Amino acid sequence: MGLFDKFGRKHSELEQLLFKVESNIANNYKDAAQEAFIVFEQRCAELDSEGKLSEKQKAYYMEIIGGLRVRLKGFTHKDQKPYWT
Protein backbone atom coordinates (compact mmCIF):
# COMPACT_ATOMS: atom_id res chain seq x y z
CA MET A 1 0.00 0.00 0.00
CA GLY A 2 1.39 3.36 -1.02
CA LEU A 3 1.63 6.50 1.01
CA PHE A 4 -1.39 8.17 -0.61
CA ASP A 5 -3.69 5.14 -0.95
CA LYS A 6 -5.97 6.02 1.96
CA PHE A 7 -6.66 9.60 0.90
CA GLY A 8 -9.88 10.15 -1.01
CA ARG A 9 -11.06 6.57 -0.60
CA LYS A 10 -14.59 5.83 0.39
CA HIS A 11 -15.21 4.57 3.91
CA SER A 12 -16.25 0.89 3.72
CA GLU A 13 -18.58 0.93 6.73
CA LEU A 14 -20.40 4.01 5.48
CA GLU A 15 -20.63 2.53 1.99
CA GLN A 16 -22.32 -0.58 3.43
CA LEU A 17 -24.81 1.57 5.33
CA LEU A 18 -25.43 3.67 2.23
CA PHE A 19 -26.02 0.52 0.18
CA LYS A 20 -28.65 -0.54 2.70
CA VAL A 21 -30.43 2.81 2.35
CA GLU A 22 -30.34 2.66 -1.45
CA SER A 23 -31.54 -0.97 -1.49
CA ASN A 24 -34.50 -0.11 0.71
CA ILE A 25 -35.39 2.85 -1.50
CA ALA A 26 -35.14 0.73 -4.64
CA ASN A 27 -37.40 -1.95 -3.13
CA ASN A 28 -39.90 0.67 -1.92
CA TYR A 29 -39.33 -0.27 1.74
CA LYS A 30 -40.13 3.23 2.89
CA ASP A 31 -39.94 2.84 6.65
CA ALA A 32 -36.82 0.66 6.45
CA ALA A 33 -35.18 3.26 4.19
CA GLN A 34 -35.92 5.99 6.73
CA GLU A 35 -34.45 3.92 9.56
CA ALA A 36 -31.36 2.96 7.54
CA PHE A 37 -30.83 6.62 6.64
CA ILE A 38 -30.90 7.62 10.32
CA VAL A 39 -28.30 4.96 11.14
CA PHE A 40 -26.14 6.10 8.19
CA GLU A 41 -26.37 9.76 9.21
CA GLN A 42 -25.58 9.05 12.87
CA ARG A 43 -22.60 6.84 12.04
CA CYS A 44 -21.27 9.46 9.64
CA ALA A 45 -21.47 12.06 12.42
CA GLU A 46 -19.76 9.71 14.88
CA LEU A 47 -16.88 8.98 12.52
CA ASP A 48 -16.51 12.68 11.77
CA SER A 49 -16.39 13.62 15.47
CA GLU A 50 -13.80 10.90 16.06
CA GLY A 51 -11.69 12.35 13.25
CA LYS A 52 -11.79 9.17 11.17
CA LEU A 53 -12.99 10.86 7.97
CA SER A 54 -10.75 12.91 5.71
CA GLU A 55 -12.00 16.27 4.47
CA LYS A 56 -12.77 14.76 1.05
CA GLN A 57 -14.72 11.92 2.61
CA LYS A 58 -16.58 14.31 4.88
CA ALA A 59 -17.58 16.53 1.95
CA TYR A 60 -18.59 13.49 -0.13
CA TYR A 61 -20.83 12.01 2.56
CA MET A 62 -22.34 15.37 3.57
CA GLU A 63 -23.39 15.88 -0.04
CA ILE A 64 -24.96 12.41 -0.10
CA ILE A 65 -26.79 13.07 3.18
CA GLY A 66 -28.21 16.31 1.78
CA GLY A 67 -29.44 14.57 -1.35
CA LEU A 68 -30.98 11.70 0.62
CA ARG A 69 -32.79 14.12 2.92
CA VAL A 70 -34.50 15.63 -0.12
CA ARG A 71 -35.28 12.21 -1.64
CA LEU A 72 -36.66 10.78 1.58
CA LYS A 73 -38.82 13.75 2.50
CA GLY A 74 -42.37 12.39 2.53
CA PHE A 75 -41.11 8.88 1.65
CA THR A 76 -43.16 7.02 4.28
CA HIS A 77 -46.10 4.67 4.25
CA LYS A 78 -48.11 6.88 6.59
CA ASP A 79 -48.17 9.68 3.96
CA GLN A 80 -49.25 7.29 1.22
CA LYS A 81 -52.81 7.80 0.00
CA PRO A 82 -54.85 4.64 -0.47
CA TYR A 83 -55.81 4.14 -4.11
CA TRP A 84 -59.34 2.98 -3.29
CA THR A 85 -60.51 6.27 -1.75
Side-chain angles (χ1 to χ4, degrees):
M1 178 157 80
L3 178 63
F4 298 106
D5 283 14
K6 69 177 185 175
F7 297 110
R9 291 184 121 177
K10 296 177 182 175
H11 194 277
S12 62
E13 181 183 357
L14 290 178
E15 287 299 310
Q16 289 173 351
L17 293 172
L18 182 58
F19 177 76
K20 195 174 199 178
V21 174
E22 292 292 343
S23 297
N24 287 327
I25 290 171
N27 289 316
N28 205 28
Y29 300 149
K30 297 177 180 182
D31 296 331
Q34 294 286 350
E35 291 171 11
F37 174 68
I38 290 169
V39 171
F40 169 72
E41 189 175 25
Q42 288 174 344
R43 187 61 183 146
C44 190
E46 288 171 7
L47 289 171
D48 182 36
S49 67
E50 293 170 4
K52 294 185 178 180
L53 294 178
S54 70
E55 288 301 315
K56 283 185 177 183
Q57 288 174 328
K58 182 179 173 182
Y60 172 74
Y61 289 114
M62 290 301 130
E63 184 176 329
I64 288 175
I65 287 171
L68 283 173
R69 274 194 191 124
V70 171
R71 269 176 80 187
L72 293 175
K73 185 176 182 181
F75 190 71
T76 62
H77 287 294
K78 67 179 180 180
D79 294 337
Q80 186 174 353
K81 303 280 188 224
Y83 64 87
W84 58 86
T85 59

